Amino acid sequence: MARLIKSHIGRRDFLRTSAAAGAVALAAPARIASAQAQPINMHAWSAAVDTVQSHLNAFTDSTGIPVNYGNSPWAQYREGMVTKFVGGAPLDMMWVSDAWLPEWAEAGWISPIDDYDFLTAYNSEAEDFCTDSMTYNGRQYGLTYYTDFMAFLYDEEKVKEAGFDAPPATWDEVVEQSLVMKEKGISEYPMMLAMAQESWLIEFMSSLVYSHGGRFTDDAGKSIMQHDKDGAVEALQWVVDAVNKHGIVSPACVETGELSGLKAFASGNHAFAMVAKYRLRMLNDPEQSQIAGNVKQALMPKGANGDHNTVGWMRFHGMATQSRQDEQRAENTAKLIEWFGGKANGEYKFQKLLFLDIGAGFGVKPLFDDPDIRDAYGKYGDVDIIKAQQALALKKDVVTPWFGEWSETNGAAWQSAILGNTDAVSAVKKSAELWDELKDSY
């Protein structure tokens, strides 16, 4: 995979907005724009289009700022946005994946928003991993649009059938309960892991590593994955043993993608599964799942050196660098970011609307106490467990411009160890060496 090319456009080449945009309380009234405000341009992927348009109409009514709104399918979104950036198409605000942040920031396509105090004031009510995921080289680039995390789910009926009163709290207990289930014929492979080479793989890996108390990299971005205690070796060894020693995870996990694994769990083939939290709703829907009503969430099991941490991911509202060429335009774009990612007329309206409309997760903690949201979550999950697990989510520590080049080798190394072709230490060492080589050469 070709390495991403840095743009030579520096942030200093663009005008900065006035510091007088400064401190404004979260509950401040809407900031009213000039009656002759020029339209600002927003582009997003095609999700909840009617909800987005309605929220935009309310923004224009409240502020007097018109917005040109465009959207495109998720599958074509990233490529289309790169074309727009390179071609100089009018852009002010857009939706951004945390996975694209290093590339887009390095290219100079998006601008930090942390000079607007009224935007960063929301950080105090946002999940830490969300703010961390929007931060690159010490600068914050947006406010949260959507978030989710990898969850540990279990089939309560199978756990009880095996004679246990509670789900496993540690990875050792996952082994213990799974072996009993195998012995009783409840499930051949009680634990479902999807370890195929696909985009979901790094989330599965990160959850295993974090819950074992490890990391792939340190705070400076240097590899520590090869370390025994605080790296990835212990997590990979657990998977190797689960497949080859205990037989509680299928050897076919290396060919099982997230969707295939989800369907297998929904069919009743497994007792435990690690899947995205948003899948909980589908798994408890009788029309889509054979185990509906039995699927519960537990905190991510922890390893001997770890806690119940998991990995989180998010999408955010970002500002195009070209907005900075005009101070008023940048200010109006910041207002739009606040309207969507912060409060609109004193409440986190868009994130609530998005959750109630399509079930999209939110990244602001106060919404967990909202009666409408608690009622909606309560139809298929335990809102307090969801809240507790989200608070323990960590950002992916491998999101870099060279991630794509490293990821394929890392995935192959893990798969090789799982299949018994190499040991866990050697596999992770190979991944670490490539990581540091790419980091040094970038």
Side-chain angles (χ1 to χ4, degrees):
M1 184 183 298
R3 185 168 300 141
L4 297 170
I5 300 174
K6 291 185 181 180
S7 168
H8 295 291
I9 301 175
R11 294 188 188 93
R12 64 181 179 274
D13 296 325
F14 299 94
L15 297 177
R16 307 293 288 177
T17 57
S18 170
V24 178
L26 296 185
R31 300 165 182 83
I32 306 301
S34 165
Q36 297 182 355
Q38 294 298 308
I40 53 178
N41 302 286
M42 171 185 171
H43 201 81
W45 47 84
S46 307
V49 173
D50 291 341
T51 300
V52 173
Q53 186 62 68
S54 176
H55 201 56
L56 281 172
N57 293 343
F59 172 77
T60 299
D61 290 343
S62 178
T63 66
I65 303 170
V67 180
N68 295 323
Y69 166 52
N71 63 79
S72 52
W74 167 258
Q76 289 82 46
Y77 182 79
R78 179 188 171 279
E79 182 178 351
M81 289 301 295
V82 170
T83 300
K84 290 178 184 295
F85 286 135
V86 173
L91 281 172
D92 296 295
M93 177 180 135
M94 76 293 298
W95 289 353
V96 186
S97 167
D98 54 352
W100 309 330
L101 174 56
E103 174 194 7
W104 291 14
E106 291 282 353
W109 295 332
I110 58 177
S111 173
I113 54 84
D114 50 17
D115 53 340
Y116 291 101
D117 291 350
F118 66 85
L119 295 182
T120 58
Y122 290 103
N123 292 349
S124 64
E125 295 187 339
E127 300 286 4
D128 289 342
F129 84 89
C130 290
T131 303
D132 292 344
S133 297
M134 294 182 288
T135 301
Y136 182 68
N137 285 341
R139 302 300 303 276
Q140 182 175 335
Y141 281 82
L143 291 183
T144 304
Y145 149 63
Y146 152 82
T147 188
D148 210 341
F149 58 82
M150 194 59 69
F152 183 82
L153 307 183
Y154 66 99
D155 184 331
E156 186 177 43
E157 186 176 89
K158 289 183 175 62
V159 170
K160 290 181 177 179
E161 186 180 353
F164 297 98
D165 296 328
T170 68
W171 287 111
D172 285 346
E173 290 178 4
V174 172
V175 174
E176 176 190 354
Q177 294 193 13
S178 294
L179 289 175
V180 172
M181 290 176 186
K182 282 179 67 72
E183 184 179 351
K184 292 187 173 183
I186 297 171
S187 174
E188 182 179 8
Y189 298 113
M191 180 70 207
M192 191 288 289
L193 282 180
M195 304 297 288
Q197 281 273 29
E198 62 170 12
S199 60
W200 278 106
L201 183 56
I202 190 58
E203 276 82 17
F204 290 119
M205 289 179 173
S206 296
S207 296
L208 288 162
V209 171
Y210 292 170
S211 60
H212 278 88
R215 299 289 185 274
F216 285 101
T217 67
D218 62 17
D219 292 341
K222 184 174 176 59
S223 71
I224 58 170
M225 62 192 83
Q226 68 276 22
H227 294 183
D228 290 337
K229 300 295 184 182
D230 61 347
V233 175
E234 187 176 315
L236 176 54
Q237 188 63 57
W238 187 91
V239 179
V240 170
D241 289 345
V243 172
N244 299 289
K245 180 179 179 181
H246 306 302
I248 63 171
V249 173
S250 172
C253 67
V254 297
E255 298 174 349
T256 302
E258 187 271 344
L259 185 57
S260 296
L262 176 71
K263 290 179 178 179
F265 185 55
S267 297
N269 295 340
H270 308 281
F272 309 114
M274 200 162 61
V275 295
K277 179 265 298 173
Y278 77 88
R279 296 296 199 184
L280 188 57
R281 184 164 68 166
M282 166 264 176
L283 287 165
N284 277 321
D285 180 351
E287 295 186 0
Q288 302 183 70
S289 171
Q290 295 179 32
I291 56 174
N294 291 322
V295 182
K296 311 295 183 183
Q297 180 182 344
L299 292 179
M300 188 66 65
K302 62 180 180 178
N305 299 301
D307 204 341
H308 299 290
N309 295 113
T310 187
V311 70
W313 55 90
M314 53 88 66
R315 312 290 181 255
F316 63 90
H317 309 282
M319 179 184 293
T321 302
Q322 62 178 270
S323 283
R324 295 288 193 168
Q325 294 175 308
D326 180 88
E327 182 177 329
Q328 187 59 57
R329 190 177 202 86
E331 172 76 15
N332 291 347
T333 301
K335 293 174 187 174
L336 184 61
I337 290 174
E338 180 183 28
W339 190 261
F340 275 82
K343 290 184 177 180
N345 293 333
E347 61 177 320
Y348 289 109
K349 190 168 185 179
F350 183 70
Q351 291 193 54
K352 178 178 177 178
L353 287 172
L354 204 64
F355 174 78
L356 296 176
D357 183 10
I358 61 175
F362 48 83
V364 288
K365 291 174 278 191
L367 283 181
F368 277 114
D369 299 320
D370 183 284
D372 296 331
I373 284 178
R374 293 187 68 85
D375 181 64
Y377 258 142
K379 289 178 171 61
Y380 58 86
D382 184 330
V383 66
D384 293 320
I385 288 288
I386 292 169
K387 177 181 179 180
Q389 186 64 84
Q390 184 161 300
L392 292 169
L394 303 172
K395 66 170 286 187
K396 294 189 289 287
D397 61 359
V398 292
V399 177
T400 58
W402 60 88
F403 168 74
E405 296 175 77
W406 170 80
S407 180
E408 186 173 348
T409 295
N410 179 60
W414 275 56
Q415 290 183 335
S416 182
I418 293 168
L419 293 173
N421 297 325
T422 188
D423 60 272
V425 172
S426 298
V428 177
K429 181 181 178 182
K430 180 178 181 180
S431 293
E433 290 174 347
L434 177 60
W435 178 273
D436 288 337
E437 177 186 333
L438 291 168
K439 182 179 185 297
D440 291 343
S441 64
Y442 183 76

